Amino acid sequence: MIDMPARSYVVGRGKDCDADLADSSVSRPHAILRVGDDGSLHLSDYPSKLGTFVYRAGAWQRIESAIVA
């Protein structure tokens, strides 16, 4: 397991994930969501098998990491 700060959460469909997404397109550990001191959200791919995407400007974009709203 990756050593993470206290305000980080593992997103995926695995039973040990902090945020469980029950969808077959989601890897067991899929992404890491970090909450910044200013309340910002930073999403990083774990890396997952299919990748992590954010929806911006009307289209899905694959990311390795991004600040998300």
Side-chain angles (χ1 to χ4, degrees):
M1 195 72 163
I2 296 173
D3 185 27
M4 297 177 295
R7 292 179 48 111
S8 293
Y9 307 93
V10 176
V11 178
R13 66 181 166 94
K15 64 181 178 179
D16 295 329
C17 292
D18 299 304
D20 183 17
L21 302 177
D23 186 283
S24 61
S25 69
V26 176
S27 295
R28 284 179 174 77
H30 191 95
I32 298 171
L33 182 66
R34 291 180 180 87
V35 180
D37 291 336
D38 62 355
S40 62
L41 300 175
H42 184 265
L43 185 68
S44 300
D45 192 53
Y46 204 76
S48 60
K49 207 181 255 190
L50 298 175
T52 298
F53 293 77
V54 295
Y55 192 74
R56 290 188 179 147
W60 287 102
Q61 299 173 2
R62 187 174 185 156
I63 60 153
E64 288 185 24
S65 67
I67 302 285
V68 294

